[in-house]
Amino acid sequence: MTTTIAFIGLGNMGGGMAANLLKNGYAVRAFDLSASALDKAREAGAVPCASAEDAVAGADAVVTMLPAGKHVDAVYNGSVFAAAKPDTILLDCSTIDVETARRTIAVAEEKGFAMVDAPVSGGIAAANGGALTFMVGGTDAAFHRAKPILSAMGKAVIHAGAAGNGQAAKICNNMLLGATMIATCEAFAMAQKIGLDPQIFYDISSVSSGQSWSMTSYCPLPGVGPDSPADNGYEGGFAAALMLKDLKLAVEAAAAVNASVPMGSNAEALYQMLVNNGEGAKDFSSIIQLLRG
Ligand code: NAD
């Protein structure tokens, strides 16, 4: 029997993810506040619905891909919990704060639903290509039910532990990424000012102890290392505004557990400056331009 999935939030990421569910034989009932997002979902083969309740009614699973915690809170507490049939599996793939994720899953469990937080690594291209990595928080039983659905949208599905731990993995990873990107940019900018050719610095550092993913997979300098957004005027890739969003979530989560994150806090401040300069839509590696002055 075909499994029916209610998909709520069909924006840049959700649109491609829903299309991959359809390609993998799932039926999709779609809802988004945006008429154009809903139109695109219909063109991909989903059934457009008039409300979240309408999408969820009769579905076997619910997948949400929403901007932030307040939207997840509103959609689950305002619609999903009331409209879902008993035993529906609920998957929130949005990147949100750990606290809202844990609270929403606790309410779901109280109401008898299995639910996971399953944020993603990978951007719009990975969402379109079914190549996302999912980091999943929730019980073993909920993870095993969610896994086949997530596998239809991604290349890796990893159980990170209890509820909220998917979000914890996502923000810790992106805090590390933000800090290593800034450090890599600082080193390239300084090397050039001292008179060291950036290609020669890359050749040395990429096989030395300063090597990182930010350097060898996503080099922030055009013409150095593999093809990256730097080679495309810092267009495409991972927007600086989204990096700032994740860093804010990381610093907020750190404060809640008294974790000391001076590098993360500095990374947040620097990305805030980049976004304030009107560069939020550019790829996050464009922070090298800010550091060069
Ligand atoms: P987006 O703004 O393009 O899409 C979000 C969609 O949710 C929009 O279409 C909006 O209309 C819809 N929406 C908002 N409130 C709603 C509601 N109450 N009911 C129904 N629909 C509603 O955002 P996106 O880029 O697709 O990102 C979605 C999530 O994925 C975010 O949490 C983001 O941090 C995360 N993420 C994004 C990327 C990326 O590269 N874009 C990468 C990894 C993770």
Side-chain angles (χ1 to χ4, degrees):
M1 209 182 76
T2 307
T3 302
T4 299
I5 298 187
F7 204 113
I8 303 170
L10 299 128
N12 289 323
M13 297 290 289
M17 291 164 68
N20 280 308
L21 289 173
L22 288 156
K23 277 184 207 151
N24 280 281
Y26 290 97
V28 174
R29 295 177 61 77
F31 176 67
D32 195 293
L33 295 175
S34 147
S36 67
L38 211 48
D39 272 353
K40 278 195 198 133
R42 186 179 39 75
E43 280 160 24
V47 176
C49 297
S51 64
E53 289 86 343
D54 183 20
V56 167
D60 307 298
V62 176
V63 177
T64 45
M65 193 55 168
L66 297 160
K70 64 179 180 187
H71 308 92
V72 171
D73 190 41
V75 166
Y76 280 91
N77 288 302
S79 309
V80 174
F81 292 146
K85 67 180 183 192
D87 211 33
T88 305
I89 170 87
L90 311 175
L91 301 83
D92 178 40
C93 298
S94 328
T95 301
I96 67 167
D97 57 287
V98 176
E99 209 234 304
T100 301
R102 289 197 169 142
R103 195 180 59 241
T104 310
I105 294 177
V107 175
E109 288 172 352
E110 263 167 44
K111 292 180 182 293
F113 299 110
M115 180 168 182
V116 294
D117 57 298
V120 306
S121 177
I124 299 163
N128 290 336
L132 294 167
T133 293
F134 289 91
M135 26 207 129
V136 188
T139 62
D140 284 347
F143 174 74
H144 286 297
R145 287 184 64 195
K147 195 174 177 189
I149 298 170
L150 297 173
S151 299
M153 302 184 282
K155 64 171 166 45
V157 181
I158 301 164
H159 194 187
N165 280 15
Q167 302 296 348
K170 165 85 187 177
I171 55 175
C172 289
N173 179 72
N174 280 21
M175 185 174 76
L176 188 56
L177 173 63
T180 59
M181 179 55 80
I182 291 167
T184 304
C185 290
E186 272 184 10
F188 269 113
M190 177 173 150
Q192 269 184 301
K193 284 194 176 163
I194 297 175
L196 177 58
D197 182 275
Q199 181 62 54
I200 293 173
F201 176 57
Y202 177 88
D203 292 343
I204 294 167
S205 199
S206 64
V207 292
S208 300
S209 46
Q211 185 273 342
S212 69
W213 185 91
S214 294
M215 175 177 280
T216 49
S217 295
Y218 212 94
C219 189
L221 271 191
V224 180
D227 201 40
S228 71
D231 298 299
N232 190 30
Y234 301 99
E235 299 298 328
F238 181 44
L242 285 175
M243 173 52 88
L244 177 61
K245 174 195 163 179
D246 293 352
L247 287 167
K248 282 183 187 295
L249 289 174
V251 170
E252 188 187 302
V257 294
N258 271 330
S260 175
V261 291
M263 302 290 279
S265 298
N266 274 318
E268 182 200 355
L270 285 163
Y271 275 103
Q272 185 71 66
M273 279 169 72
L274 188 65
V275 170
N276 290 351
N277 288 349
E279 306 290 345
K282 290 240 176 88
D283 180 71
F284 81 114
S285 65
S286 69
I287 197 139
I288 194 166
Q289 294 173 324
L290 182 83
L291 294 166
R292 277 177 172 152

